[in-house]
């Protein structure tokens, strides 16, 4: 039975959403993930209660190739390059456990961005990306992005002798507990040169690196989003990926930011869809004819879910169309990709929360218990609003500037 048929049988149908994979590699990823669905469903409540990354599950996904999904086939991965298919895979996982989906997104994202670095970076960058991708494809490497500072700015210092050291602290580093490498957003400070941005890649075994065990989030509790401390971590020059000037928007770079993050929309579509399905099933079991207020909320829920699917699918289609195209104006390409992404993100963040809230309203007090599936989805779905790029404030700033032509 196709996904569209499943939706139709459940009283909801969308033809142009996150429904079917568009590539053979995407289909293979969904098949692999389906093998883990029984474990995801069985363990999700306990994962949430403990607030811990499910290590056994990630070990199984490492061994069967899921963690190498976005690595090119020639380097041992599945070769999934379609952002639509990655978002669909994340939506399927998020329906069972959104925290696991968020952690998977971090690994999938790194495969995509390192693939670009391998194809288009400088010689040293290409070598580094090739080696890391090969390790991801074989299951050896789990690479985490470390972007958000807990206080101040993480600083990469280059001494006159050419050596590097990294100091600072990053928070909300999902999957850090099993990470073998960390790609860190940092300020690069060099004597006699303007401050720049850089992305050093730090091995887990680097002296001065500490992964804390301090995760106690309100939602996404199985993502293992702990803090990582860098205290004078030494770095080799080839392990520092160059970026632009700080606090200056590089429109061409918006394309890379979109590619690394837009598939995350699938997580919140998956949460909302699973909340809707759970609620409709519960109402059907109650039997009888629902009151007008219930029917009204159900209609609004399905309208919101339709909006989520179509907005996310549209932004993903734009990103998939423009990502491989480097032949035109790269600034226009970057703005086009990011603007579509931000339109969809604003809609998804708003409507997914409202949809889950309506589901809780329909089921009543039973859904208010912390261990209830809808309570978990209600906490998880709110994470989308502060995920970058951009959080609500920065997203509104970006879109309003685009609208005013500034």
């Amino acid at each position: 039975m196709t996904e569209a048929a499943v939706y139709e049988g459940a009283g909801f149908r969308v033809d142009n959403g996150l429904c079917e994979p568009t590539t053979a590699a995407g289909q293979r990823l969904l098949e692999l993930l389906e093998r883990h669905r029984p474990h995801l469903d069985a363990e999700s409540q306990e994962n949430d209660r403990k607030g811990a990354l499910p290590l056994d599950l990630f070990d199984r996904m490492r061994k069967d190739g899921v963690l190498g999904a976005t690595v090119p086939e020639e380097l041992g991965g599945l070769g999934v390059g379609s952002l639509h298919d990655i978002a669909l895979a994340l939506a399927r996982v998020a329906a069972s456990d959104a925290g696991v989906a968020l952690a998977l997104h971090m690994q999938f994202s790194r495969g995509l961005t390192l693939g670009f670095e391998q194809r288009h970076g400088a010689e040293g960058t290409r070598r580094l990306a090739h080696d890391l991708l090969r390790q991801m494809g074989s299951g050896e490497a789990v690479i985490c992005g470390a972007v958000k500072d807990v206080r101040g700015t993480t600083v990469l210092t280059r001494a006159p002798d050419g050596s590097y050291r990294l100091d600072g602290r990053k928070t909300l580093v999902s999957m850090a507990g099993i990470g073998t490498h960390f790609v860190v957003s940092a300020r690069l400070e060099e004597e006699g040169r303007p401050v720049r941005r850089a992305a050093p890649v730090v091995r887990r075994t680097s002296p001065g690196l500490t992964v804390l065990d301090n995760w106690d989030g309100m939602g996404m509790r199985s993502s293992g989003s702990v803090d990582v401390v860098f205290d004078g971590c030494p770095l080799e020059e080839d392990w520092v990926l160059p970026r632009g000037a700080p606090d200056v928007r590089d429109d061409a770079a918006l394309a890379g930011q979109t590619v690394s993050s837009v598939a995350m929309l699938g997580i919140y579509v998956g949460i909302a869809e699973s909340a809707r399905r759970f609620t409709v099933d519960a109402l059907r079991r109650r039997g009888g004819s629902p009151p007008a207020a219930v029917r009204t909320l159900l209609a609004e829920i399905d309208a919101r879910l339709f909006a989520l699917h179509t907005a996310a699918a549209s932004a993903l289609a734009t990103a998939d169309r423009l990502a491989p195209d480097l032949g035109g104006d790269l600034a226009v390409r970057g703005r086009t990709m990011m603007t579509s992404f931000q339109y969809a993100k604003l809609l998804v963040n708003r409507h997914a929360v409202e949809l889950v809230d309506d589901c809780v309203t329909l089921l009543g007090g039973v859904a208010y218990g912390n261990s209830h599936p809808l309570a978990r989805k209600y906490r998880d779905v709110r994470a989308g609003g502060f995920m970058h790029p951009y959080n609500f404030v920065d997203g509104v700033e970006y879109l309003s500037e685009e609208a005013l032509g500034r």
Side-chain angles (χ1 to χ4, degrees):
M1 181 180 292
T2 68
E3 193 71 15
V6 171
Y7 292 149
E8 190 172 25
F12 177 80
R13 180 183 176 87
V14 56
D15 292 321
N16 298 306
L18 293 178
C19 301
E20 297 285 350
T22 60
T23 65
Q27 178 63 44
R28 174 60 177 156
L29 174 58
L30 291 179
E31 291 169 356
L32 287 176
L33 288 171
E34 192 60 31
R35 299 177 187 174
H36 300 288
R37 179 67 67 84
H39 297 287
L40 278 165
D41 290 337
E43 300 169 2
S44 61
Q45 184 172 330
E46 185 65 9
N47 292 341
D48 181 73
R49 187 188 68 79
K50 294 189 300 185
L53 189 75
L55 302 181
D56 289 345
L57 173 65
F58 274 86
D59 188 53
R60 291 192 294 268
M61 290 193 292
R62 177 184 60 80
K63 290 176 179 177
D64 71 7
V66 169
L67 296 190
T70 55
V71 173
E73 288 186 87
E74 62 269 22
L75 295 178
L78 298 181
V80 183
S82 164
L83 292 162
H84 175 280
D85 290 358
I86 297 164
L88 174 59
L90 293 174
R92 299 280 179 87
V93 175
S96 298
D97 194 320
V100 170
L102 180 61
L104 276 177
H105 163 70
M106 300 303 169
Q107 179 81 344
F108 292 168
S109 175
R110 295 285 76 77
L112 293 171
T113 55
L114 286 170
F116 184 87
E117 300 280 7
Q118 183 204 20
R119 295 188 300 274
H120 303 290
E123 183 178 352
T125 298
R126 291 199 302 270
R127 287 197 302 267
L128 172 62
H130 181 277
D131 184 53
L132 292 175
L133 288 167
R134 181 189 57 76
Q135 293 182 57
M136 291 175 70
S138 67
E140 300 170 55
V142 176
I143 304 180
C144 304
V147 176
K148 185 175 177 59
D149 285 318
V150 86
R151 60 177 68 88
T153 301
T154 301
V155 176
L156 178 67
T157 307
R158 185 176 190 181
D161 65 1
S163 62
Y164 288 89
R165 59 171 284 159
L166 181 66
D167 294 276
R169 177 169 171 167
K170 294 294 185 178
T171 190
L172 298 177
V173 183
S174 298
M175 205 172 51
I178 60 171
T180 60
H181 301 76
F182 299 88
V183 181
V184 184
S185 176
R187 288 169 59 89
L188 173 57
E189 297 184 356
E190 304 172 87
E191 186 175 346
R193 298 192 63 179
V195 172
R196 293 179 289 156
R197 290 183 293 116
V201 181
V202 191
R203 297 181 181 89
R204 174 66 169 263
T205 55
S206 175
L209 188 152
T210 304
V211 177
L212 304 182
D213 183 15
N214 65 336
W215 175 236
D216 190 23
M218 179 177 72
M220 298 292 189
R221 289 178 54 77
S222 56
S223 64
S225 300
V226 300
D227 288 10
V228 180
V229 178
F230 307 96
D231 185 10
C233 297
L235 285 156
E236 305 161 29
E237 184 172 8
D238 285 348
W239 284 63
V240 176
L241 304 176
R243 298 293 185 257
D247 305 320
V248 175
R249 192 176 100 181
D250 178 359
D251 284 354
L254 296 176
Q257 294 175 33
T258 299
V259 168
S260 68
S261 300
V262 68
M264 191 162 42
L265 294 173
I267 296 174
Y268 303 98
V269 174
I271 295 172
E273 186 174 306
S274 64
R276 183 264 183 197
R277 185 176 295 121
F278 183 93
T279 301
V280 169
D281 288 345
L283 291 173
R284 284 175 172 168
R285 288 194 298 270
R286 290 179 181 179
S289 178
V294 171
R295 295 198 300 271
T296 299
L297 278 184
L298 283 174
E300 291 180 353
I301 284 170
D302 279 2
R304 288 193 177 106
L305 190 54
F306 181 84
L308 293 179
H309 268 278
T310 53
S314 176
L316 290 159
T318 297
D320 274 327
R321 175 173 58 85
L322 293 179
D325 181 9
L326 299 177
D329 187 324
L330 297 184
V332 172
R333 166 179 173 262
R335 286 196 303 274
T336 303
M337 292 171 68
M338 181 59 78
T339 301
S340 180
F341 174 25
Q342 291 308 308
Y343 285 148
K345 189 172 187 296
L346 192 65
L347 289 169
V348 168
N349 290 345
R350 176 180 301 161
H351 289 303
V353 170
E354 291 172 347
L355 188 157
V356 177
D357 183 68
D358 284 346
C359 289
V360 172
T361 298
L362 287 176
L363 293 193
V366 66
Y368 199 65
N370 213 32
S371 62
H372 192 276
L374 279 189
R376 185 171 72 248
K377 295 178 190 303
Y378 186 81
R379 290 182 276 109
D380 288 344
V381 77
R382 304 195 72 86
F386 57 82
M387 292 289 177
H388 286 275
Y390 297 114
N391 63 18
F392 176 78
V393 173
D394 293 341
V396 167
E397 185 76 9
Y398 173 87
L399 290 175
S400 63
E401 287 183 352
E402 287 295 298
L404 296 171
R406 296 177 180 173

